Amino acid sequence: MIRARHIGLVVENIERSLEFYQSVFGFILKRRAYEDPGEYIESLVGIKDVKVEYAKLEISEGIILELLQYHSHPLKGPDSFYPSNRHGCSHFALTVDDIDGIYNKLVSFGAHCNTQPLQSPDGKVRVFYAHDPDGIILELVQDL
């Protein structure tokens, strides 16, 4: 059996990202820790002398969003929003009950949204793309 475990996002500022994901989506902080250099963490991530802080937020029962800030080896994110066609993980999607409410929260938070919620051509969902504070793409979907 294979099950999804969590979604991991590397962020520039863990405090800013925690505020975003808790304020906009109501995700619940389950664990937060700081990993000092050591053989285990260095081997796991493949970075020597790494110092990483992480926060695990519950999206819904059994689904976790893990935010990671590499204090010892920070990399600056893009100067603009990630493009939809970049290689690697393009985006992650969340199913929501009130897409207009989430859209309004994102806009009031100052998040970039590509468009207002759109209805899909087949009429089954309303959907839009938004970007978190690090430019990472979020797809928000409401089933109709």
Side-chain angles (χ1 to χ4, degrees):
M1 174 168 80
I2 297 175
R3 294 178 292 140
R5 187 169 184 92
H6 67 264
I7 300 160
L9 301 177
V10 175
V11 300
E12 285 186 53
N13 181 318
I14 202 165
E15 294 297 335
R16 178 183 70 186
S17 294
L18 279 168
E19 181 183 352
F20 176 79
Y21 284 103
Q22 290 178 301
S23 297
V24 173
F25 298 105
F27 295 167
I28 299 166
L29 181 63
K30 290 298 191 177
R31 184 159 190 229
R32 186 170 179 181
Y34 190 92
E35 296 285 345
D36 285 320
E39 187 175 329
Y40 167 74
I41 193 70
E42 288 177 359
S43 295
L44 179 65
V45 301
I47 301 173
K48 184 91 173 116
D49 299 322
V50 69
K51 292 180 183 177
V52 63
E53 182 178 4
Y54 68 89
K56 294 186 178 194
L57 298 159
E58 186 174 57
I59 294 174
S60 62
E61 190 175 322
I63 301 173
I64 299 294
L65 174 64
E66 183 179 47
L67 303 174
L68 301 121
Q69 182 178 349
Y70 284 82
H71 292 281
S72 59
H73 296 76
L75 290 177
K76 182 154 176 35
D79 291 330
S80 59
F81 302 110
Y82 285 113
S84 300
N85 63 342
R86 75 183 172 105
H87 290 145
C89 183
S90 159
H91 65 278
F92 74 94
L94 298 168
T95 300
V96 299
D97 293 330
D98 178 12
I99 200 163
D100 293 310
I102 291 292
Y103 173 80
N104 291 331
K105 280 185 181 180
L106 286 163
V107 168
S108 68
F109 201 88
H112 175 267
C113 301
N114 289 358
T115 182
Q116 293 181 1
L118 303 170
Q119 186 162 326
S120 63
D122 64 9
K124 293 184 179 181
V125 298
R126 291 184 68 216
V127 61
F128 72 98
Y129 270 18
H131 297 263
D132 83 353
D134 288 288
I136 298 167
I137 299 171
L138 311 173
E139 179 181 5
L140 292 303
V141 182
Q142 180 179 350
D143 293 317
L144 297 177

